[in-house]
Amino acid sequence: LFRTQMNPHFFFNALYSIQNYILNNNALESSRYLGKFARLTRAILEWNAQPFVPIQKEMTILEDYLSLEQLRFEDRFTFSINCSEDIAKTYQIPTMMLQPFFENAIVHGFKKINNAGFISIHFIADVNTSALQVTIEDNGTGLQPKEDNPINIEKKSIALNLTKKRLELLSAQFKRN
């Protein structure tokens, strides 16, 4: 349930972007965007039924997602995905678990910066515990209180709350952290 609640938000934004390209008579960009959107949608539908996906596949999904967002935001940011081939083939993570963090960085973190945005993700395996550490960094503004309500700094993103609940459910279901 939580996984399906997260994806429609992105789908709505993608469809809105395609609509904008069409309304602005930009057939080439709308076609390009629609092709990437279709490929990403197919991958998500294929893997969404699985609780976990190989990191290699998740990286492909993330690259497609970030490419779509680059088109949508007219190349206002770049990204880097860093993962060894061994980690990419060996480890698995919950499907679309990382996407909300990228979405928040793009939509909220890059809104008020004057320079180009940059997002990087690093996958690092701890050889002693076989735990996987995923680090996402960006040069956005970070979490800020709203100007009209400075007390509201504690308000959390719906997507991040859903991600936390997904992790809690998966931890309970598979009896591991």
Side-chain angles (χ1 to χ4, degrees):
L1 178 61
F2 292 117
R3 193 166 49 235
T4 59
Q5 286 178 342
M6 288 171 47
N7 295 339
H9 184 71
F10 165 71
F11 290 137
F12 176 78
N13 287 335
L15 291 172
Y16 179 73
S17 295
I18 294 167
Q19 180 185 33
N20 276 339
Y21 285 131
I22 292 169
L23 291 174
N24 291 319
N25 292 319
N26 194 337
L28 181 61
E29 285 302 310
S30 65
S31 177
R32 218 171 111 205
Y33 197 99
L34 191 56
K36 287 181 183 249
F37 179 67
R39 187 172 85 175
L40 178 61
T41 303
R42 184 179 305 119
I44 290 170
L45 291 173
E46 176 183 328
W47 288 97
N48 213 17
Q50 304 297 319
F52 298 94
V53 62
I55 287 181
Q56 190 170 26
K57 186 66 177 176
E58 185 73 3
M59 287 188 330
T60 301
I61 291 170
L62 283 174
E63 286 173 359
D64 285 346
Y65 167 75
L66 291 168
S67 295
L68 285 172
E69 292 293 67
Q70 280 181 319
L71 286 172
R72 180 174 157 222
F73 288 99
E74 300 172 345
D75 292 320
R76 277 207 68 223
F77 72 92
T78 57
F79 66 89
S80 168
I81 299 176
N82 303 292
C83 183
S84 73
E85 194 172 318
D86 184 49
I87 291 173
K89 290 181 178 179
T90 306
Y91 286 82
Q92 295 187 12
I93 60 173
T95 310
M96 294 291 286
M97 181 63 64
L98 304 173
Q99 183 271 338
F101 298 100
F102 287 99
E103 182 176 343
N104 279 347
I106 295 164
V107 174
H108 303 294
F110 296 156
K111 189 186 298 185
K112 294 182 180 179
I113 63 172
N114 296 324
N115 53 326
F118 178 74
I119 304 172
S120 68
I121 182 169
H122 299 270
F123 295 88
I124 301 167
D126 183 330
V127 292
N128 297 323
T129 64
S130 71
L132 179 68
Q133 177 182 330
V134 181
T135 305
I136 301 170
E137 298 176 306
D138 67 73
N139 66 341
T141 58
L143 293 174
Q144 304 291 324
K146 292 184 178 182
E147 288 101 29
D148 59 341
N149 190 1
I151 298 171
N152 200 14
I153 196 162
E154 293 298 318
K155 183 179 177 191
K156 292 186 180 165
S157 157
I158 292 171
L160 296 181
N161 281 332
L162 291 174
T163 300
K164 182 179 177 187
K165 288 179 184 177
R166 270 184 75 196
L167 286 172
E168 289 169 358
L169 287 172
L170 288 168
S171 291
Q173 179 181 0
F174 292 98
K175 295 177 180 33
R176 66 181 205 195
N177 192 0

